[in-house]
Amino acid sequence: MVTTPDVFYIDGVRTPFGRAGEKGMYWRTRADDLAVKTIAELLARNPEIPGDRYDDVAIAATTQTGDQGLTLGRTSALLAGLPQSVPGLAIDRMCAGALTAMTLMGASIGFGQYDVALAGGVEHMGRHPMGFDADPNPRFLAEKLVAEDALNMGVTAERLHDRFPQLTKERADEFALQSQQRAAAAYEAGSFARDLVPVAIESDQGWGLATRDEHLRPDTSMAGLSGLRTPFRPHGRVTAGNASPLTDGAATTLLASAAAVKEFKLKPRMRMVGFGFAGVQPEVMGLGPIPSTEQALKRAGLRIEDIGLFELNEAFAVQVLSFLDHFQIAQDSPVVNAYGGAIALGHPLAASGARLSMQLANQFEEHPEVRYGLTAMCVGLGQGGTIIWENPNWNGKKTRPVASTPKNGGLA
């Protein structure tokens, strides 16, 4: 196995995720205030780290404008109360923004330049829809570099159904129902209590407190899912039920070096083993996590059979199914998205990568028999991103096997 410098995940928090738009709970809340809330909570939860010892703050956003612009990492750090000596930056890799922030800060720690860093993301899709006010270069279409509708994520998901007929709508709906059921069970069990930081919200009724994700639909049924319209194509297969909803929210993680862990007596919850990013055709962007995971596994000297827990972003059910079929993992495997995923919880684009890491860290503590886990997601414009993590609670036993033959026999 390739030896990597020690980079540890120490802690992470997120806001409850809200529905985007005027009816959502964050309609009157600024995007940067959501990011600030998560940073301030991490500072309060880790008082042993002096403020001036934070080396950098990387906060991602897909649409960097208005209250989601102006170098979010720097402005959020200042607003959260960090000293002026602490720098910050903004990152954009669309849906993999926070995941990229984590790898960038992790690499900086691994290279020996940083000891403590914050990495996360925020997206207020109600105020700033994906692609709002963007001006794609006309060469993309004139030179046929991408299809005209490649920027429509729903259309790219429909293309996965076209390319792999075994990825049926029924399977997508079954996976969506599973996501809702697992998320509801995880809430009931208190599995999200450690991650969530309450947020004060304003509405016509006055001030309140956001404490729970707003998209949860525990009463979801197959009958209900089967009757939903297909907005991206007549008689299509992608619906609002088997896709992630438009979401507002923020999430931030705390990463540290081995030296900082020792100096501040921190308790590592995961060790970053390696990561990978890869590109695919923008028209089928949902396939991105497959090559990024293969790349990350190769760099780490691991096989898919070594991975005992998976946190995969559910941008669309069909996208996750393509990943699972490729790696011969059953779609109902208990080691995949055990707490549910973005279909139930929401997907505030650039924040989601941090959410995945929080859920994996919680599961590592529940499963000392698992040594390795991964977080992965597809990315708009044809990319994928993956991080492999090691469980510091591993008891030395062999990681339980997860590979099994899915009902369709796998992708061709």
Side-chain angles (χ1 to χ4, degrees):
M1 179 179 297
V2 177
T3 301
T4 57
D6 284 335
V7 179
F8 294 108
Y9 171 101
I10 305 300
D11 201 359
V13 297
R14 67 176 179 89
T15 68
F17 290 166
R19 289 189 298 167
E22 295 185 21
K23 296 182 180 180
M25 59 187 180
Y26 294 135
W27 180 244
R28 299 182 184 178
T29 304
R30 288 179 60 97
D32 50 7
D33 282 339
L34 293 175
V36 168
K37 187 69 176 179
T38 60
I39 294 173
E41 178 68 12
L42 284 175
L43 299 182
R45 281 169 41 160
N46 298 276
E48 60 272 37
I49 305 175
D52 61 1
R53 291 298 301 277
Y54 285 86
D55 292 297
D56 213 341
V57 179
I59 300 296
T62 300
T63 307
Q64 297 187 14
T65 185
D67 59 338
Q68 208 162 273
L70 199 60
T71 315
L72 268 171
R74 173 61 170 171
T75 56
S76 298
L78 292 173
L79 289 166
L82 280 168
Q84 293 183 1
S85 59
V86 178
L89 70 155
I91 288 176
D92 173 20
R93 201 196 293 263
M94 299 184 79
C95 305
L99 192 146
T100 303
M102 296 173 74
T103 58
L104 177 61
M105 294 297 96
S108 299
I109 292 171
F111 193 58
Q113 302 305 296
Y114 290 175
D115 279 314
V116 182
L118 296 172
V122 62
E123 211 74 54
H124 201 308
M125 300 183 75
R127 292 178 181 270
H128 312 296
M130 183 170 62
F132 177 74
D133 206 28
D135 181 20
N137 194 298
R139 288 182 53 210
F140 281 116
L141 298 183
E143 299 178 19
K144 298 182 179 180
L145 298 176
V146 298
E148 186 173 358
D149 53 9
L151 293 177
N152 186 314
M153 300 299 104
V155 172
T156 68
E158 287 283 7
R159 285 203 179 96
L160 289 185
H161 281 291
D162 294 339
R163 180 170 292 194
F164 306 109
Q166 63 269 43
L167 302 180
T168 63
K169 182 180 184 298
E170 181 181 12
R171 288 186 63 194
D173 286 347
E174 288 172 349
F175 187 84
L177 176 61
Q178 174 181 286
S179 181
Q180 293 285 357
Q181 291 174 336
R182 290 185 177 183
Y187 255 97
E188 185 69 22
S191 301
F192 295 111
R194 183 172 186 166
D195 304 338
L196 296 173
V197 53
V199 178
I201 53 174
E202 183 184 8
S203 67
D204 291 340
Q205 288 72 45
W207 285 91
L209 198 64
T211 60
R212 185 180 177 90
D213 296 314
E214 201 172 14
H215 288 290
L216 294 166
R217 297 292 182 268
D219 57 346
T220 299
S221 67
M222 283 296 289
L225 289 169
S226 66
L228 296 176
R229 68 185 186 92
T230 57
F232 303 108
R233 179 188 298 176
H235 310 294
R237 288 141 298 191
V238 179
T239 71
N242 58 36
S244 60
L246 301 179
T247 311
D248 302 334
T252 303
T253 64
L254 170 60
L255 304 176
S257 67
V261 166
K262 182 177 180 180
E263 179 181 356
F264 302 122
K265 297 179 173 60
L266 304 174
K267 181 182 178 181
R269 299 185 63 204
M270 298 193 292
R271 183 178 75 88
M272 186 181 292
V273 176
F275 59 86
F277 292 94
V280 296
Q281 288 177 287
E283 291 81 3
V284 286
M285 66 94 190
L287 296 178
I290 294 174
S292 68
T293 296
E294 292 174 334
Q295 186 183 91
L297 289 169
K298 182 178 180 180
R299 289 172 175 171
L302 296 171
R303 303 173 303 159
I304 196 67
E305 291 81 9
D306 296 315
I307 306 301
L309 287 167
F310 296 78
E311 277 295 327
L312 308 175
N313 191 48
E314 299 170 0
F316 300 92
V318 67
Q319 174 265 314
V320 181
L321 293 176
S322 70
F323 179 99
L324 297 178
D325 278 15
H326 177 84
F327 288 110
Q328 296 285 285
I329 301 170
Q331 70 181 64
D332 61 351
S333 172
V335 304
V336 177
N337 294 7
Y339 297 167
I343 289 173
L345 303 172
H347 176 27
L349 301 184
S352 288
R355 174 189 66 80
L356 297 176
S357 70
M358 295 171 204
Q359 294 186 195
L360 182 61
N362 291 339
Q363 291 175 65
F364 269 167
E365 294 176 357
E366 297 175 5
H367 295 285
E369 78 280 10
V370 173
R371 184 174 185 182
Y372 296 109
L374 68 76
T375 55
M377 60 200 315
C378 61
V379 189
L381 289 178
Q383 300 181 82
T386 301
I387 303 179
I388 297 175
W389 303 90
E390 184 177 27
N391 185 359
N393 309 294
W394 182 52
N395 58 18
K397 296 180 180 180
K398 185 178 180 181
T399 298
R400 55 181 172 169
V402 302
S404 61
T405 302
K407 67 179 73 175
N408 69 341
L411 294 183

